[in-house]
Amino acid sequence: MPIDTLTPAPLVDTFGRTVSYLRISVTDRCDFRCVYCMSEHMSFLPKKDLLTLEEIDRVASAFVARGVRKLRITGGEPLVRRNVMSLFRALSRHLAGGALQELTLTTNGSQLARFAGELADCGVRRVNVSLDTLDAATFKQITRWGDLARVMEGIAAAKKAGLKVKINMVALKNANQHEIDDMLRFCHGEGHDLTLIETMPLGEIEEDRTDQYLPLSQVRRALEERYTLTDLPDSTGGPARYVRVAETGGRVGFITPLTHNFCESCNRVRLNCTGTLYLCLGQDHAVDLRAPVRQSEADDALNAAIDEGMAIKPRGHDFVIERRGAAPAVTRHMSSTGG
Ligand code: SAM
Ligand code: SF4
């Protein structure tokens, strides 16, 4: 069937799920080396393989034209890509025009003090900041290269700029398990949501993931001994399930890819920094969008490739972390697909 470039069809996969959310990894590089995400000595992609920021804008805009309502810029660390603010500025036109409901980002916070004001100015309203601990030494251990004070400044700057902050904490057995209460009190005291994430088996790292994996079902049971948790119907378009904590008034989200499979309501796809569109975080199904973008200035080939992607979006992932020394579910790191 010829593709109608004036009114491109909405994005529906073969399981009837509508794709309305695109995550875009703008770089695989990062100024941290978190133990669950990367090995200490990573080799990164050559710059020539990356989509330019203008090309990313073009792909994102094609998705918006086809019904995507939410864009999340991520990485690697998105705020270390040079001139990344020009991309936020360009994409903000879709917010102003009403086609896009939300433009947001996930960041480690290291550059947030510098960029928070500009992000707010570009129409960003919410930001996810990854923070696994409030202890400077543990922070160093987990991130290897990070500086807690700088991230805390970044979080404060985001709040000051009027951005709603959600803290993402990867729950790690032994490393930060004992800090979940402190994190909850800090976040809710500051008016931030806290989302807890299970480690996912993505990419080779130096450590064994069975040593890191902490099932959130266990964390929730432990929290219930001390707090009154009420399930909330809230969804932010992502995979988190939320509860209200009566004692603090705040919300805690649980992202549980291993103990609870959330694929049936999946509404998202991921573009990596070289223009590969991944249809599932935990599977290898992918289509290349870089060649069609470079092939012509019209979007026909690009839209055809996006349609191919919809046709192969898998039903779901099948993560397991049970065998010691087992290979990761996929060889890509979270930082290359975009978390
Ligand atoms: N650098 C940014 C940051 O850290 O927020 C954005 C990219 S990072 C890959 C996105 C999220 O993925 C972070 O919250 C991080 O904690 C999480 N993450 C990375 N590797 C993970 C893994 N193997 N399992 C679970 N979460 C992971
Ligand atoms: Fe960098 Fe984010 Fe991965 Fe940490 S989780 S190494 S900050 S990309």
Side-chain angles (χ1 to χ4, degrees):
M1 240 190 347
I3 297 196
D4 182 343
T5 46
L6 290 175
T7 52
L11 302 170
V12 182
D13 75 0
T14 56
F15 301 97
R17 296 171 299 191
T18 298
V19 169
S20 56
Y21 182 1
L22 176 67
R23 293 191 176 208
I24 305 172
S25 172
V26 293
T27 177
D28 61 334
R29 289 166 198 251
C30 187
D31 51 349
F32 292 3
R33 290 289 180 280
C34 301
V35 290
Y36 46 77
C37 179
M38 293 195 182
S39 60
E40 187 150 20
H41 305 286
M42 297 283 289
S43 42
F44 294 110
L45 294 160
K47 294 217 169 73
K48 66 173 179 31
D49 288 353
L50 302 196
L51 291 183
T52 64
L53 294 172
E54 292 74 19
E55 287 168 337
I56 294 175
D57 175 48
R58 204 177 130 200
V59 174
S61 301
F63 274 93
V64 171
R66 301 194 60 178
V68 160
R69 294 288 165 261
K70 179 168 172 177
L71 295 175
R72 177 175 298 280
I73 308 300
T74 178
E77 174 45 41
L79 297 182
V80 301
R81 174 135 185 197
R82 195 188 312 172
N83 208 15
V84 72
M85 280 306 138
S86 68
L87 177 66
F88 281 96
R89 185 69 63 193
L91 292 173
S92 70
R93 74 188 182 281
H94 298 300
L95 290 170
L100 190 65
Q101 274 164 11
E102 184 167 38
L103 175 61
T104 182
L105 76 155
T106 302
T107 173
N108 66 22
S110 68
Q111 314 296 317
L112 207 44
R114 181 169 155 216
F115 290 123
E118 210 175 335
L119 287 166
D121 198 45
C122 290
V124 172
R125 295 285 163 262
R126 296 193 306 148
V127 52
N128 288 4
V129 184
S130 302
L131 178 69
D132 300 323
T133 173
L134 294 169
D135 177 82
T138 312
F139 190 82
K140 210 26 140 213
Q141 270 165 16
I142 295 177
T143 62
R144 292 191 183 108
W145 296 3
D147 173 7
L148 177 65
R150 212 163 142 191
V151 172
M152 297 306 271
E153 276 169 33
I155 294 172
K159 182 174 171 179
K160 193 157 167 237
L163 300 176
K164 180 97 184 102
V165 175
K166 182 158 76 81
I167 302 293
N168 281 348
M169 174 183 187
V170 177
L172 299 163
K173 191 159 63 177
N174 306 325
N176 64 2
Q177 187 171 4
H178 56 284
E179 280 195 67
I180 294 176
D181 263 32
D182 288 348
M183 285 287 290
L184 188 149
R185 293 201 170 273
F186 161 73
C187 291
H188 292 179
E190 288 288 311
H192 310 324
D193 284 343
L194 171 67
T195 295
L196 300 169
I197 308 177
E198 282 174 350
T199 47
M200 295 175 234
L202 304 172
E204 291 291 352
I205 53 171
E206 271 107 2
E207 300 182 22
D208 194 309
R209 292 189 193 275
T210 47
D211 294 331
Q212 300 180 343
Y213 175 53
L214 175 63
L216 288 186
S217 47
Q218 192 180 315
V219 171
R220 184 176 169 149
R221 274 197 302 278
L223 282 176
E224 275 169 340
E225 286 171 14
R226 296 186 297 283
Y227 299 99
T228 319
L229 308 184
T230 314
D231 283 304
L232 294 172
D234 316 18
S235 164
T236 53
R241 315 241 149 170
Y242 285 95
V243 297
R244 172 84 55 204
V245 181
E247 289 75 5
T248 61
R251 295 195 311 168
V252 177
F254 296 90
I255 299 188
T256 57
L258 288 116
T259 53
H260 175 267
N261 196 314
F262 44 62
C263 303
E264 67 277 8
S265 57
C266 181
N267 60 352
R268 57 203 157 270
V269 291
R270 295 173 153 85
L271 179 72
N272 84 353
C273 56
T274 62
T276 302
L277 183 71
Y278 284 101
L279 286 313
C280 173
L281 182 62
Q283 303 275 10
D284 287 324
H285 304 65
V287 290
D288 173 43
L289 302 185
R290 187 176 58 183
V293 160
R294 292 186 178 170
Q295 181 183 318
S296 86
E297 280 178 20
D299 282 346
D300 300 28
L302 174 59
N303 275 314
I306 294 172
D307 284 331
E308 271 173 48
M310 290 305 112
I312 60 164
K313 183 166 164 62
R315 184 187 285 272
H317 64 67
D318 29 47
F319 291 147
V320 274
I321 298 184
E322 52 190 19
R323 273 174 299 117
R324 192 155 278 278
V330 289
T331 52
R332 320 185 295 278
H333 290 88
M334 179 80 116
S335 54
S336 74
T337 324

